Amino acid sequence: MEYTFHILVLVGIYTTLAVSLDLLVGHTGLLSVAQAAFFGVGAYASALLEVHFGVPFLIAVASSMALAVLVAIVVASPSLRLQDDFFIIATLGFQMILFTVFNNWTNLTRGPLGIPGIPRPVIFGWTVQSHVEFVFLAFVIAASAYLVVGILSTGPFGRVLHAIREDEIFTESVGKHALKFKLTAFAVSAALAACAGSLYAHYMTYIDPTSFTVMESILVVSMIIIGGAGSRWGPLVGAVVLVTLPEALRFVGFPSSVAANLRQIIYGALLVIIIMFRPRGLMGKYGFGR
Amino acid sequence: MAAQFLLNGLSVGCIYALAALGVGLTYRTYGFFNFAYGVLSALAAYVSYAMLFYFRAPVWLAISAGVAGAILLGGFSHYIVYKPLRSRGANSLTLLLSSVGLFVVLVGCLVLAFGEESLAMPGERVGAGHLVLGVRVAGSQIVIVCSSLVVFLGWWLAVTHTKCGRLLRAIASDEYLARLHGVRTESILLCGILASSFVLALCGVLQALDTGLSPTMGFEVFLAAVVVIVIGGGSVIGNVAAAMFLGIIQQVAVWIMPAQWQAAIVFVILILFLLLRPQGLRGKLQSRTTV
């Protein structure tokens, strides 16, 4: 049972990540490969604040989200000037730079040694301790992320994002400041990813840079594309499929080291197959890149 | 000291330039950055390693096997993925995403076959080298610089003086128009992807001689190649010059700051270029004179 709950917590965390990135990929048409970096910014910021300064959980999460917004503005202002391929490459560059920071700024992050002993979250006197409580917290956060992205993507703001996705120049020609909207979407997306990162750090109680690599960013992108970019349930389905896949492989009898690699091979192949034969994704209505 | 940096920078730059030629050709003709190249070069290196280590093959055979494997896979990916996608009118983002998928699959396969740890190329003595005028020249560096120079020259000649090169440039400048004139674009594109796979494979083998093997070894070189294309503007000479510039800057940076930040330098340069010279980078690259 503990094991099932563990999987559910991971599903919650990755759903939050996927839905936050979908605001960019699915709704705005911006393929960012830096989501794991923001995930890492959130995890490191809240972990360090609590371990070193004893900052309460909620304040730590809020400050990590604020920091992620700051980093997002620094990342997005040059990147958003670029189109399609170059935007992807720019976010990829920032992903690599931030990973190098996590890995090499040893005075702050202890580098590859990681940060152990991150305390359990305490919310208004409620200590989140057991797996069931974490499942609850993870689902609440995932649901809130869904709510935020849902509200942003269906209202007037979302209509402008969709317009930018379809035709940016036209959107500008009717008087919408595209850069402002894209920047806002980027910042919100980064803040949600940082929130997921904080939860991840407090759940694992230990973080190291290997959780925040390019491959992790690509994994989140794959979740969206496989689930269906810009659709309501796409990110959830993608996260569920890709999180449970290695467990299913282990269940079938592959050792866990092989299962991790097999998952990688399978989701890569799935990505290619989905793009070739069902570009809308499993749940989607909008074919990304078409 | 400065001469040493220059030499190290040149040999790293040669590797970047090789990768940039291959990645740049695909970018010009297909219109996307092919992430699968990031692992194609690693694959060539691993095949050569396996030939040397497990089958005790002679060096020339091992290297040819590695290069041949990468070329085969490159052609295969064209037929299985890119060609069908293009015939359905897929845009460059779709092609890029599918190449990311291929990249993920191939890295997974390499890790499964050879493990995640770095390996050293058998027969290469670490630290060995000749002192020439106070500069330590490693044997691998001589091999890298000489073979790269030959490839640069051959590539330039092929692009400017052969029929295939001319047709590739025609496709790069306007594929639709080229097809109207009766160019069989698919077979020419295949030639292009085979040529790209060839230089990427060579790049991987040379890199393995220099720094050893790891499943993700091709990826950072691929990213550096993209930065080179951004800086160099896409022509053969521009790319080679930009690659040397990047290699030397990277070496000089190590002088100033700790070596572990070296990987980040490439991306800092990229970001600086995006900030300071965005006009050259908006949308597609501007000058389409040579592939």
Side-chain angles (χ1 to χ4, degrees), chain A residues 148-234:
Chain A
V148 171
V149 172
I151 289 172
L152 284 182
S153 62
T154 47
F157 184 81
R159 277 198 294 280
V160 178
L161 291 188
H162 291 172
I164 291 172
R165 179 183 77 189
E166 302 303 335
D167 192 338
E168 185 172 338
I169 295 172
F170 180 75
T171 315
E172 294 232 305
S173 78
V174 293
K176 297 293 179 189
H177 193 349
L179 185 68
K180 212 170 70 187
F181 281 90
K182 290 197 285 187
L183 198 62
T184 314
F186 204 100
V188 171
S189 164
L192 291 176
C195 185
S198 307
L199 180 66
Y200 177 80
H202 288 89
Y203 174 62
M204 293 308 221
T205 68
Y206 168 81
I207 49 171
D208 70 354
T210 55
S211 313
F212 314 113
T213 58
V214 193
M215 292 315 274
E216 203 71 12
S217 279
I218 294 179
L219 175 71
V220 182
V221 171
S222 310
M223 285 175 181
I224 293 173
I225 303 294
I226 290 172
S231 66
R232 179 166 298 152
W233 302 116

Side-chain angles (χ1 to χ4, degrees), chain B residues 85-123:
Chain B
L85 272 176
R86 279 167 53 84
S87 69
R88 266 174 253 165
N91 67 8
S92 63
L93 270 184
T94 316
L95 289 168
L96 184 137
L97 270 174
S98 65
S99 79
V100 171
L102 274 182
F103 164 76
V104 170
V105 172
L106 292 175
V107 170
C109 292
L110 277 184
V111 174
L112 210 55
F114 294 96
E116 219 155 347
E117 298 76 28
S118 325
L119 303 166
M121 211 63 169

Side-chain angles (χ1 to χ4, degrees), chain A residues 29-33 79 81-93 288, chain B residues 23 26-28 30-35 91-97 99-100 222-223 226-227 229-230 270 274 281-285 288:
Chain A
L30 293 168
L31 187 64
S32 161
V33 247
S79 311
R81 294 187 199 178
L82 308 162
Q83 285 168 7
D84 306 340
D85 332 33
F86 286 109
F87 174 78
I88 301 171
I89 296 300
T91 55
L92 198 58
F288 184 79
Chain B
V23 175
T26 312
Y27 182 67
R28 290 318 201 81
Y30 282 80
F32 74 109
F33 290 115
N34 188 344
F35 276 65
N91 67 8
S92 63
L93 270 184
T94 316
L95 289 168
L96 184 137
L97 270 174
S99 79
V100 171
F222 164 77
L223 291 177
V226 172
V227 180
I229 294 167
V230 167
L270 171 72
L274 299 183
L281 302 166
R282 285 238 172 98
K284 307 291 178 201
L285 295 171
R288 280 180 168 277

Side-chain angles (χ1 to χ4, degrees), chain B residues 34-57:
Chain B
N34 188 344
F35 276 65
Y37 284 156
V39 66
L40 219 55
S41 65
L43 183 102
Y46 271 99
V47 171
S48 320
Y49 171 85
M51 291 293 282
L52 281 174
F53 196 76
Y54 298 116
F55 302 110
R56 308 255 170 247

